[in-house]
């Protein structure tokens, strides 16, 4: 069975730690099978995500989210991977007529500006958990692959408009 959290995510446990941004991927998954994206729990999930967007337009999450999920869940330095995961959600939310255009464009701007600064995408903070409280991981290919996939979906969306 799943726990129904205040933020709309359904999960096995209350404390999800590093991965709250990633777990919003349920939204694009449900969109792909024609699920009703206007349900209240999905609206809460999108609103939760919008509340976590950083001033630079990106998204991130600190490993401290395991210790204090109420303060740190979905909060942290922006990373390309986590911003791309959020962008997947924002694109589908936009297609479902959620008012997320500005936040979606800000996420894209973050990704493009991050690349311009470094001529590469790399995550400067862990984006994966090996063993919470002990081992956190970075996956070098995530920053590149998820970012390129998210930007491609965004470009495809722009061509449909």
């Amino acid at each position: 069975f799943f726990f129904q959290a205040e933020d709309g995510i359904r999960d096995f446990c209350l404390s999800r730690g590093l991965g709250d941004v990633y777990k919003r991927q349920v939204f694009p998954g449900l969109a792909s099978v024609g699920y009703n994206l206007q349900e209240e729990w999905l609206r809460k999930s999108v609103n939760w995500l919008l509340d976590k967007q950083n001033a630079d337009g990106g998204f991130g999450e600190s490993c401290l989210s395991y210790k204090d999920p109420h303060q740190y869940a979905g909060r942290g330095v922006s990373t390309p991977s986590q911003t791309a995961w959020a962008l997947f959600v924002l694109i589908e939310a936009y297609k479902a007529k959620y008012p997320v255009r500005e936040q979606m464009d800000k996420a894209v701007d973050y990704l493009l500006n991050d690349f311009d600064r470094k001529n590469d995408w790399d995550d400067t903070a862990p984006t994966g958990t090996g063993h919470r409280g002990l081992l956190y991981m970075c996956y070098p290919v995530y920053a590149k692959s998820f970012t390129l996939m998210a930007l491609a979906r965004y470009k495809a969306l722009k061509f449909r408009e």
Side-chain angles (χ1 to χ4, degrees), residues 120-148:
D120 194 10
W121 286 296
D122 61 341
D123 290 329
T124 56
T127 55
T129 304
H131 182 63
R132 67 184 188 170
L134 181 64
L135 176 65
Y136 299 100
M137 299 180 289
C138 291
Y139 300 93
V141 72
Y142 277 18
K144 295 159 184 55
S145 60
F146 286 115
T147 299
L148 289 171

PDB file of all heavy atoms in Angstrom, residues 120-148:
ATOM      1  N   ASP A 120      29.431  22.336 -20.356  1.00  0.00           N
ATOM      2  CA  ASP A 120      29.127  20.955 -19.981  1.00  0.00           C
ATOM      3  C   ASP A 120      28.023  20.991 -18.933  1.00  0.00           C
ATOM      4  O   ASP A 120      27.769  22.035 -18.332  1.00  0.00           O
ATOM      5  CB  ASP A 120      30.366  20.267 -19.395  1.00  0.00           C
ATOM      6  CG  ASP A 120      30.214  18.755 -19.299  1.00  0.00           C
ATOM      7  OD1 ASP A 120      29.241  18.201 -19.839  1.00  0.00           O
ATOM      8  OD2 ASP A 120      31.074  18.128 -18.671  1.00  0.00           O
ATOM      9  N   TRP A 121      27.372  19.880 -18.703  1.00  0.00           N
ATOM     10  CA  TRP A 121      26.448  19.756 -17.580  1.00  0.00           C
ATOM     11  C   TRP A 121      27.047  18.741 -16.620  1.00  0.00           C
ATOM     12  O   TRP A 121      27.432  17.638 -17.018  1.00  0.00           O
ATOM     13  CB  TRP A 121      25.086  19.236 -18.037  1.00  0.00           C
ATOM     14  CG  TRP A 121      24.257  20.233 -18.765  1.00  0.00           C
ATOM     15  CD1 TRP A 121      23.747  21.398 -18.273  1.00  0.00           C
ATOM     16  CD2 TRP A 121      23.810  20.149 -20.109  1.00  0.00           C
ATOM     17  NE1 TRP A 121      23.022  22.052 -19.230  1.00  0.00           N
ATOM     18  CE2 TRP A 121      23.037  21.299 -20.377  1.00  0.00           C
ATOM     19  CE3 TRP A 121      23.973  19.220 -21.127  1.00  0.00           C
ATOM     20  CZ2 TRP A 121      22.434  21.540 -21.605  1.00  0.00           C
ATOM     21  CZ3 TRP A 121      23.386  19.459 -22.340  1.00  0.00           C
ATOM     22  CH2 TRP A 121      22.622  20.604 -22.574  1.00  0.00           C
ATOM     23  N   ASP A 122      27.130  19.122 -15.368  1.00  0.00           N
ATOM     24  CA  ASP A 122      27.528  18.175 -14.337  1.00  0.00           C
ATOM     25  C   ASP A 122      26.820  18.555 -13.046  1.00  0.00           C
ATOM     26  O   ASP A 122      26.555  19.721 -12.785  1.00  0.00           O
ATOM     27  CB  ASP A 122      29.041  18.096 -14.154  1.00  0.00           C
ATOM     28  CG  ASP A 122      29.663  19.413 -13.742  1.00  0.00           C
ATOM     29  OD1 ASP A 122      29.047  20.473 -13.929  1.00  0.00           O
ATOM     30  OD2 ASP A 122      30.783  19.387 -13.216  1.00  0.00           O
ATOM     31  N   ASP A 123      26.476  17.540 -12.277  1.00  0.00           N
ATOM     32  CA  ASP A 123      25.806  17.769 -11.007  1.00  0.00           C
ATOM     33  C   ASP A 123      26.863  18.065  -9.947  1.00  0.00           C
ATOM     34  O   ASP A 123      27.823  17.303  -9.785  1.00  0.00           O
ATOM     35  CB  ASP A 123      24.990  16.543 -10.601  1.00  0.00           C
ATOM     36  CG  ASP A 123      23.776  16.340 -11.497  1.00  0.00           C
ATOM     37  OD1 ASP A 123      23.236  17.342 -11.997  1.00  0.00           O
ATOM     38  OD2 ASP A 123      23.358  15.186 -11.674  1.00  0.00           O
ATOM     39  N   THR A 124      26.678  19.163  -9.239  1.00  0.00           N
ATOM     40  CA  THR A 124      27.649  19.568  -8.217  1.00  0.00           C
ATOM     41  C   THR A 124      27.267  19.051  -6.844  1.00  0.00           C
ATOM     42  O   THR A 124      27.964  19.329  -5.870  1.00  0.00           O
ATOM     43  CB  THR A 124      27.758  21.100  -8.164  1.00  0.00           C
ATOM     44  OG1 THR A 124      26.455  21.644  -7.942  1.00  0.00           O
ATOM     45  CG2 THR A 124      28.328  21.640  -9.476  1.00  0.00           C
ATOM     46  N   ALA A 125      26.190  18.305  -6.770  1.00  0.00           N
ATOM     47  CA  ALA A 125      25.736  17.711  -5.515  1.00  0.00           C
ATOM     48  C   ALA A 125      25.219  16.306  -5.809  1.00  0.00           C
ATOM     49  O   ALA A 125      24.823  16.013  -6.943  1.00  0.00           O
ATOM     50  CB  ALA A 125      24.631  18.569  -4.898  1.00  0.00           C
ATOM     51  N   PRO A 126      25.212  15.425  -4.819  1.00  0.00           N
ATOM     52  CA  PRO A 126      24.702  14.067  -5.046  1.00  0.00           C
ATOM     53  C   PRO A 126      23.246  14.083  -5.503  1.00  0.00           C
ATOM     54  O   PRO A 126      22.455  14.910  -5.056  1.00  0.00           O
ATOM     55  CB  PRO A 126      24.819  13.396  -3.673  1.00  0.00           C
ATOM     56  CG  PRO A 126      25.850  14.175  -2.945  1.00  0.00           C
ATOM     57  CD  PRO A 126      25.722  15.584  -3.450  1.00  0.00           C
ATOM     58  N   THR A 127      22.912  13.163  -6.382  1.00  0.00           N
ATOM     59  CA  THR A 127      21.538  13.030  -6.853  1.00  0.00           C
ATOM     60  C   THR A 127      21.000  11.623  -6.620  1.00  0.00           C
ATOM     61  O   THR A 127      19.896  11.302  -7.034  1.00  0.00           O
ATOM     62  CB  THR A 127      21.431  13.371  -8.346  1.00  0.00           C
ATOM     63  OG1 THR A 127      22.343  12.547  -9.073  1.00  0.00           O
ATOM     64  CG2 THR A 127      21.741  14.833  -8.596  1.00  0.00           C
ATOM     65  N   GLY A 128      21.765  10.786  -5.967  1.00  0.00           N
ATOM     66  CA  GLY A 128      21.338   9.417  -5.694  1.00  0.00           C
ATOM     67  C   GLY A 128      21.750   8.969  -4.309  1.00  0.00           C
ATOM     68  O   GLY A 128      22.685   9.511  -3.720  1.00  0.00           O
ATOM     69  N   THR A 129      21.042   7.982  -3.812  1.00  0.00           N
ATOM     70  CA  THR A 129      21.307   7.460  -2.475  1.00  0.00           C
ATOM     71  C   THR A 129      21.710   6.001  -2.563  1.00  0.00           C
ATOM     72  O   THR A 129      20.976   5.187  -3.123  1.00  0.00           O
ATOM     73  CB  THR A 129      20.042   7.579  -1.602  1.00  0.00           C
ATOM     74  OG1 THR A 129      19.631   8.933  -1.598  1.00  0.00           O
ATOM     75  CG2 THR A 129      20.309   7.113  -0.190  1.00  0.00           C
ATOM     76  N   GLY A 130      22.867   5.698  -2.016  1.00  0.00           N
ATOM     77  CA  GLY A 130      23.283   4.311  -1.895  1.00  0.00           C
ATOM     78  C   GLY A 130      22.772   3.742  -0.584  1.00  0.00           C
ATOM     79  O   GLY A 130      22.115   2.720  -0.537  1.00  0.00           O
ATOM     80  N   HIS A 131      23.045   4.442   0.491  1.00  0.00           N
ATOM     81  CA  HIS A 131      22.566   4.068   1.826  1.00  0.00           C
ATOM     82  C   HIS A 131      22.409   5.357   2.616  1.00  0.00           C
ATOM     83  O   HIS A 131      23.397   6.016   2.927  1.00  0.00           O
ATOM     84  CB  HIS A 131      23.559   3.120   2.509  1.00  0.00           C
ATOM     85  CG  HIS A 131      23.115   2.655   3.849  1.00  0.00           C
ATOM     86  ND1 HIS A 131      21.985   1.903   4.021  1.00  0.00           N
ATOM     87  CD2 HIS A 131      23.636   2.869   5.072  1.00  0.00           C
ATOM     88  CE1 HIS A 131      21.838   1.644   5.307  1.00  0.00           C
ATOM     89  NE2 HIS A 131      22.822   2.224   5.960  1.00  0.00           N
ATOM     90  N   ARG A 132      21.184   5.759   2.880  1.00  0.00           N
ATOM     91  CA  ARG A 132      20.946   7.065   3.485  1.00  0.00           C
ATOM     92  C   ARG A 132      21.707   7.244   4.793  1.00  0.00           C
ATOM     93  O   ARG A 132      21.801   6.342   5.600  1.00  0.00           O
ATOM     94  CB  ARG A 132      19.465   7.332   3.654  1.00  0.00           C
ATOM     95  CG  ARG A 132      18.781   6.472   4.635  1.00  0.00           C
ATOM     96  CD  ARG A 132      17.307   6.801   4.612  1.00  0.00           C
ATOM     97  NE  ARG A 132      16.635   6.104   5.687  1.00  0.00           N
ATOM     98  CZ  ARG A 132      15.422   6.333   6.039  1.00  0.00           C
ATOM     99  NH1 ARG A 132      14.720   7.247   5.423  1.00  0.00           N
ATOM    100  NH2 ARG A 132      14.879   5.654   7.015  1.00  0.00           N
ATOM    101  N   GLY A 133      22.272   8.432   4.892  1.00  0.00           N
ATOM    102  CA  GLY A 133      23.068   8.758   6.062  1.00  0.00           C
ATOM    103  C   GLY A 133      24.509   8.290   5.950  1.00  0.00           C
ATOM    104  O   GLY A 133      25.343   8.646   6.771  1.00  0.00           O
ATOM    105  N   LEU A 134      24.818   7.493   4.954  1.00  0.00           N
ATOM    106  CA  LEU A 134      26.147   6.924   4.834  1.00  0.00           C
ATOM    107  C   LEU A 134      26.763   7.120   3.450  1.00  0.00           C
ATOM    108  O   LEU A 134      27.895   7.562   3.335  1.00  0.00           O
ATOM    109  CB  LEU A 134      26.092   5.426   5.155  1.00  0.00           C
ATOM    110  CG  LEU A 134      27.396   4.654   5.116  1.00  0.00           C
ATOM    111  CD1 LEU A 134      28.346   5.180   6.187  1.00  0.00           C
ATOM    112  CD2 LEU A 134      27.146   3.172   5.323  1.00  0.00           C
ATOM    113  N   LEU A 135      26.022   6.817   2.407  1.00  0.00           N
ATOM    114  CA  LEU A 135      26.570   6.833   1.060  1.00  0.00           C
ATOM    115  C   LEU A 135      25.602   7.527   0.103  1.00  0.00           C
ATOM    116  O   LEU A 135      24.453   7.093  -0.056  1.00  0.00           O
ATOM    117  CB  LEU A 135      26.809   5.396   0.572  1.00  0.00           C
ATOM    118  CG  LEU A 135      27.284   5.222  -0.865  1.00  0.00           C
ATOM    119  CD1 LEU A 135      28.665   5.828  -1.056  1.00  0.00           C
ATOM    120  CD2 LEU A 135      27.285   3.751  -1.255  1.00  0.00           C
ATOM    121  N   TYR A 136      26.069   8.615  -0.508  1.00  0.00           N
ATOM    122  CA  TYR A 136      25.301   9.329  -1.518  1.00  0.00           C
ATOM    123  C   TYR A 136      26.106   9.307  -2.804  1.00  0.00           C
ATOM    124  O   TYR A 136      27.328   9.300  -2.774  1.00  0.00           O
ATOM    125  CB  TYR A 136      25.020  10.770  -1.075  1.00  0.00           C
ATOM    126  CG  TYR A 136      24.220  10.803   0.197  1.00  0.00           C
ATOM    127  CD1 TYR A 136      24.833  11.019   1.419  1.00  0.00           C
ATOM    128  CD2 TYR A 136      22.853  10.579   0.169  1.00  0.00           C
ATOM    129  CE1 TYR A 136      24.094  11.028   2.594  1.00  0.00           C
ATOM    130  CE2 TYR A 136      22.108  10.583   1.327  1.00  0.00           C
ATOM    131  CZ  TYR A 136      22.735  10.807   2.547  1.00  0.00           C
ATOM    132  OH  TYR A 136      21.999  10.801   3.698  1.00  0.00           O
ATOM    133  N   MET A 137      25.415   9.274  -3.931  1.00  0.00           N
ATOM    134  CA  MET A 137      26.111   9.050  -5.191  1.00  0.00           C
ATOM    135  C   MET A 137      25.820  10.137  -6.225  1.00  0.00           C
ATOM    136  O   MET A 137      24.760  10.742  -6.220  1.00  0.00           O
ATOM    137  CB  MET A 137      25.700   7.693  -5.754  1.00  0.00           C
ATOM    138  CG  MET A 137      26.079   6.555  -4.821  1.00  0.00           C
ATOM    139  SD  MET A 137      25.610   4.936  -5.433  1.00  0.00           S
ATOM    140  CE  MET A 137      23.858   4.953  -5.265  1.00  0.00           C
ATOM    141  N   CYS A 138      26.787  10.327  -7.080  1.00  0.00           N
ATOM    142  CA  CYS A 138      26.637  11.160  -8.265  1.00  0.00           C
ATOM    143  C   CYS A 138      26.782  10.236  -9.467  1.00  0.00           C
ATOM    144  O   CYS A 138      27.621   9.343  -9.467  1.00  0.00           O
ATOM    145  CB  CYS A 138      27.718  12.237  -8.318  1.00  0.00           C
ATOM    146  SG  CYS A 138      27.545  13.486  -7.064  1.00  0.00           S
ATOM    147  N   TYR A 139      25.941  10.448 -10.434  1.00  0.00           N
ATOM    148  CA  TYR A 139      25.988   9.676 -11.665  1.00  0.00           C
ATOM    149  C   TYR A 139      26.351  10.646 -12.780  1.00  0.00           C
ATOM    150  O   TYR A 139      25.485  11.407 -13.237  1.00  0.00           O
ATOM    151  CB  TYR A 139      24.634   9.020 -11.945  1.00  0.00           C
ATOM    152  CG  TYR A 139      24.177   8.077 -10.865  1.00  0.00           C
ATOM    153  CD1 TYR A 139      23.359   8.514  -9.829  1.00  0.00           C
ATOM    154  CD2 TYR A 139      24.565   6.746 -10.887  1.00  0.00           C
ATOM    155  CE1 TYR A 139      22.931   7.646  -8.841  1.00  0.00           C
ATOM    156  CE2 TYR A 139      24.153   5.869  -9.905  1.00  0.00           C
ATOM    157  CZ  TYR A 139      23.329   6.323  -8.881  1.00  0.00           C
ATOM    158  OH  TYR A 139      22.911   5.467  -7.901  1.00  0.00           O
ATOM    159  N   PRO A 140      27.585  10.660 -13.230  1.00  0.00           N
ATOM    160  CA  PRO A 140      28.023  11.667 -14.209  1.00  0.00           C
ATOM    161  C   PRO A 140      27.176  11.741 -15.473  1.00  0.00           C
ATOM    162  O   PRO A 140      26.987  12.816 -16.030  1.00  0.00           O
ATOM    163  CB  PRO A 140      29.458  11.259 -14.523  1.00  0.00           C
ATOM    164  CG  PRO A 140      29.903  10.479 -13.341  1.00  0.00           C
ATOM    165  CD  PRO A 140      28.677   9.781 -12.826  1.00  0.00           C
ATOM    166  N   VAL A 141      26.650  10.639 -15.921  1.00  0.00           N
ATOM    167  CA  VAL A 141      25.877  10.650 -17.170  1.00  0.00           C
ATOM    168  C   VAL A 141      24.479  11.247 -16.976  1.00  0.00           C
ATOM    169  O   VAL A 141      23.874  11.724 -17.921  1.00  0.00           O
ATOM    170  CB  VAL A 141      25.820   9.235 -17.783  1.00  0.00           C
ATOM    171  CG1 VAL A 141      24.913   8.314 -16.997  1.00  0.00           C
ATOM    172  CG2 VAL A 141      25.425   9.305 -19.243  1.00  0.00           C
ATOM    173  N   TYR A 142      23.947  11.241 -15.743  1.00  0.00           N
ATOM    174  CA  TYR A 142      22.596  11.766 -15.505  1.00  0.00           C
ATOM    175  C   TYR A 142      22.467  13.219 -15.952  1.00  0.00           C
ATOM    176  O   TYR A 142      21.483  13.592 -16.577  1.00  0.00           O
ATOM    177  CB  TYR A 142      22.238  11.680 -14.022  1.00  0.00           C
ATOM    178  CG  TYR A 142      21.728  10.347 -13.540  1.00  0.00           C
ATOM    179  CD1 TYR A 142      21.931   9.178 -14.254  1.00  0.00           C
ATOM    180  CD2 TYR A 142      21.048  10.262 -12.340  1.00  0.00           C
ATOM    181  CE1 TYR A 142      21.472   7.964 -13.788  1.00  0.00           C
ATOM    182  CE2 TYR A 142      20.577   9.053 -11.864  1.00  0.00           C
ATOM    183  CZ  TYR A 142      20.783   7.916 -12.584  1.00  0.00           C
ATOM    184  OH  TYR A 142      20.321   6.721 -12.118  1.00  0.00           O
ATOM    185  N   ALA A 143      23.434  14.039 -15.573  1.00  0.00           N
ATOM    186  CA  ALA A 143      23.356  15.471 -15.886  1.00  0.00           C
ATOM    187  C   ALA A 143      23.285  15.717 -17.389  1.00  0.00           C
ATOM    188  O   ALA A 143      22.649  16.667 -17.839  1.00  0.00           O
ATOM    189  CB  ALA A 143      24.538  16.213 -15.279  1.00  0.00           C
ATOM    190  N   LYS A 144      23.918  14.872 -18.137  1.00  0.00           N
ATOM    191  CA  LYS A 144      23.918  15.031 -19.594  1.00  0.00           C
ATOM    192  C   LYS A 144      22.677  14.391 -20.226  1.00  0.00           C
ATOM    193  O   LYS A 144      21.962  15.019 -21.002  1.00  0.00           O
ATOM    194  CB  LYS A 144      25.184  14.426 -20.175  1.00  0.00           C
ATOM    195  CG  LYS A 144      26.443  15.162 -19.730  1.00  0.00           C
ATOM    196  CD  LYS A 144      27.671  14.296 -19.865  1.00  0.00           C
ATOM    197  CE  LYS A 144      28.929  14.936 -19.355  1.00  0.00           C
ATOM    198  NZ  LYS A 144      28.908  15.410 -17.981  1.00  0.00           N
ATOM    199  N   SER A 145      22.411  13.141 -19.892  1.00  0.00           N
ATOM    200  CA  SER A 145      21.334  12.417 -20.570  1.00  0.00           C
ATOM    201  C   SER A 145      19.947  12.952 -20.212  1.00  0.00           C
ATOM    202  O   SER A 145      19.136  13.207 -21.109  1.00  0.00           O
ATOM    203  CB  SER A 145      21.428  10.919 -20.279  1.00  0.00           C
ATOM    204  OG  SER A 145      21.325  10.673 -18.888  1.00  0.00           O
ATOM    205  N   PHE A 146      19.655  13.131 -18.926  1.00  0.00           N
ATOM    206  CA  PHE A 146      18.331  13.627 -18.558  1.00  0.00           C
ATOM    207  C   PHE A 146      18.121  15.058 -19.047  1.00  0.00           C
ATOM    208  O   PHE A 146      17.024  15.423 -19.466  1.00  0.00           O
ATOM    209  CB  PHE A 146      18.106  13.532 -17.043  1.00  0.00           C
ATOM    210  CG  PHE A 146      17.863  12.125 -16.574  1.00  0.00           C
ATOM    211  CD1 PHE A 146      18.765  11.500 -15.739  1.00  0.00           C
ATOM    212  CD2 PHE A 146      16.734  11.427 -16.970  1.00  0.00           C
ATOM    213  CE1 PHE A 146      18.552  10.202 -15.296  1.00  0.00           C
ATOM    214  CE2 PHE A 146      16.506  10.122 -16.536  1.00  0.00           C
ATOM    215  CZ  PHE A 146      17.415   9.509 -15.696  1.00  0.00           C
ATOM    216  N   THR A 147      19.168  15.862 -19.007  1.00  0.00           N
ATOM    217  CA  THR A 147      19.054  17.239 -19.476  1.00  0.00           C
ATOM    218  C   THR A 147      18.756  17.280 -20.973  1.00  0.00           C
ATOM    219  O   THR A 147      17.869  18.023 -21.416  1.00  0.00           O
ATOM    220  CB  THR A 147      20.341  18.022 -19.149  1.00  0.00           C
ATOM    221  OG1 THR A 147      20.500  18.031 -17.734  1.00  0.00           O
ATOM    222  CG2 THR A 147      20.279  19.436 -19.663  1.00  0.00           C
ATOM    223  N   LEU A 148      19.468  16.502 -21.755  1.00  0.00           N
ATOM    224  CA  LEU A 148      19.213  16.471 -23.198  1.00  0.00           C
ATOM    225  C   LEU A 148      17.813  15.958 -23.510  1.00  0.00           C
ATOM    226  O   LEU A 148      17.135  16.494 -24.397  1.00  0.00           O
ATOM    227  CB  LEU A 148      20.274  15.633 -23.913  1.00  0.00           C
ATOM    228  CG  LEU A 148      21.657  16.276 -23.977  1.00  0.00           C
ATOM    229  CD1 LEU A 148      22.677  15.278 -24.512  1.00  0.00           C
ATOM    230  CD2 LEU A 148      21.625  17.533 -24.843  1.00  0.00           C
TER     231      LEU A 148
END
